[in-house]
Amino acid sequence: MQISCDDITLAFAGAETPVFADLNFVLKGPGFHALFGPSGVGKTTLAHLLIDQVRPDTGRVRIDGCPRRLYSYNLERLPGWSSVGRHLERITPPTRRARCAELAVEFGIEAVLGQRFARLSLGQKNRVNLIRYLVQDFDLLIMDESLANVDERTREQIIAKIKVLFPDRFFLYISHNVIEVARFCRQVLVLRGAHRRPRALTVPGLDGETNGDSASPAMAQTMLTIMNAV
Amino acid sequence: MLTRRIYQFLIVYAAGLALLLGLKYLAGLSDYVIPGPSLVWQTFHDVWGRYAADTLDTLTVAVLGQVASICLATAIGIVGRQTTWFGNFVKVAAYNVQAYPIVALAPIIFILLGDGFITRLAIAAMICYFPLLLVVLGVMSEPVEEIEHFYRMTGRMRWQLEVKIRAFENLHKLTTVVAGSATLAMAGTIVAEFIAANAGIGYSIRIALYQSDLGKILIALFLIGISLSVYQALLEWAGTLVHRRWEMVEGGAVP
């Protein structure tokens, strides 16, 4: 499994500066990887490039070993005519019902399965949304701030669980939380400002599975490397 | 809902009647031009039964015309929501055709179909069709991206599901335009009857006009207003009921 971008240039109509110019990077999978960078730098646009929703003006996106690609984002909603549990039941393939139930417990949304999606808190909504993607067929799942509004401890539990349950899949986690990406991700793809070259840098993360010590020298060094790369 | 609509109508009707009577007494107009309250009351006693039946006849045609319009607008809206050339063609054609005043076509329909039931129905349907179509087209053409994204990503999206999502998300807008178009359907039927039909309250108003009998016209307006208020209130109530029911369905089938 590998994602690579070769000399990608992309400009939106009417924009003065291109979103990407000479964007090059390689991410080798599987595993839990991060896409990190300041707001507006093009993280979501890059995600759209990876799922073929946007075509580059020049250059090439190559994704090897990931024929089934999904992209989830944190503003998604479920239809309002059925309960959360009923919806999950409908969209979960029969062979993954047990996995779905397990994730509902692990992600802490078991108690709200009988409720309407609109009644849930933002964090609960994001967890429900993530579960319905995790029970689909996929090789690559891009999680665009999919754990926004979830408290830190639960978020870390969820990431650790995903890493244990799906070791053979490729995850690209878009996040603004440097501690989280440094601690849990195998590689951190840092997208830099429009005028910096190269536009993207790959920083190795600690790829931990459990709650580590954020004051450890290795953690501090990784975080510093990520922040310097931005 | 029903009482509010009737109250609103009665207030407007009473204000209009007061204005006419004020004009009558201020300008010293005769009962022949504007009848006094006792004459209006007497006229009401004489004609209310026949006029009520005529109003019911008109309302029936209006309701049937509106149902036909809703079906047609829904079908065209579903086709026009597509981003294919055909969908775009339907959408552009719908926007362009609605700019033409449909009432102007009424004489042609009368010449071709005569002055019976079908003609009244056609005109009623045509007049309330375009506002419905524009709203349905607008609703059906606008993706609800934050809901539809998952179904597209996972290859689950079907046209029925797409229509269901967009209708559910815009149910309030749809029920409002259906209730609003009831007035247009009624107006269309009355215009048709007024022009050339041989039945309905519009036809009775035309006869009253030839007799210069303002009392009869006032009674007809009263009955039209009351029946329309009741009908609109029923539509609003049905819309609320549909919304509540749909939201309460514990596992509304996702195709």
Side-chain angles (χ1 to χ4, degrees), chain B residues 9-74:
Chain B
F9 166 71
L10 287 177
I11 289 167
V12 172
Y13 186 82
L17 204 59
L19 196 73
L20 275 178
L21 291 175
L23 189 69
K24 171 186 168 69
Y25 293 120
L26 278 174
L29 299 173
S30 72
D31 278 354
Y32 180 73
V33 180
I34 298 176
S38 59
L39 201 53
V40 172
W41 182 245
Q42 181 60 45
T43 309
F44 179 79
H45 267 281
D46 293 344
V47 299
W48 82 267
R50 185 160 49 86
Y51 274 25
D54 287 344
T55 308
L56 207 60
D57 182 23
T58 301
L59 186 64
T60 308
V61 175
V63 171
L64 291 175
Q66 198 189 5
V67 170
S69 291
I70 291 168
C71 294
L72 195 62
T74 306

Side-chain angles (χ1 to χ4, degrees), chain A residues 195-209:
Chain A
H195 301 292
R196 300 197 67 183
R197 293 290 179 275
R199 275 303 306 279
L201 285 176
T202 310
V203 176
L206 296 180
D207 200 16
E209 282 181 4

Side-chain angles (χ1 to χ4, degrees), chain B residues 100-149:
Chain B
Y100 196 82
I102 293 300
V103 179
L105 298 176
I108 299 176
I109 297 170
F110 275 111
I111 289 168
L112 293 175
L113 300 174
D115 56 3
F117 170 77
I118 294 294
T119 307
R120 289 193 292 155
L121 186 70
I123 293 173
M126 283 165 71
I127 286 182
C128 73
Y129 167 66
F130 285 110
L132 277 168
L133 177 66
L134 295 185
V135 171
V136 174
L137 261 180
V139 163
M140 290 299 158
S141 309
E142 195 65 48
V144 187
E145 195 50 52
E146 62 275 22
I147 294 179
E148 295 176 17
H149 174 81

Side-chain angles (χ1 to χ4, degrees), chain A residues 51 53 69-73 75-83 86-87 90-91 93 114 116 132-133 136, chain B residues 144-151 153-154 156 161 164-165 168-169 246-255:
Chain A
I51 56 162
Q53 245 180 32
R69 286 170 265 164
L70 296 178
Y71 167 70
S72 74
Y73 62 101
L75 296 175
E76 288 182 69
R77 290 191 286 131
L78 269 61
W81 60 73
S82 65
S83 66
R86 188 76 174 140
H87 174 81
R90 292 258 171 194
I91 54 90
R116 302 275 149 184
R132 64 180 183 156
Y133 278 94
Q136 305 304 315
Chain B
V144 187
E145 195 50 52
E146 62 275 22
I147 294 179
E148 295 176 17
H149 174 81
F150 172 79
Y151 296 103
M153 272 277 112
T154 56
R156 283 191 169 81
L161 179 59
K164 187 176 178 180
I165 291 170
F168 183 82
E169 289 293 311
W246 207 351
E247 281 202 322
M248 275 166 59
V249 175
E250 187 53 32
V254 181

Side-chain angles (χ1 to χ4, degrees), chain A residues 5-25:
Chain A
C5 281
D6 303 325
D7 299 322
I8 295 286
T9 302
L10 174 69
F12 289 124
E16 282 182 12
T17 51
V19 185
F20 301 126
D22 301 324
L23 176 69
N24 291 283
F25 69 84

Side-chain angles (χ1 to χ4, degrees), chain B residues 1 32-33 43 45 104 138 191 195 221 223 252:
Chain B
M1 209 176 279
Y32 180 73
V33 180
T43 309
H45 267 281
V191 165
I195 296 173
L221 291 180
L223 291 170

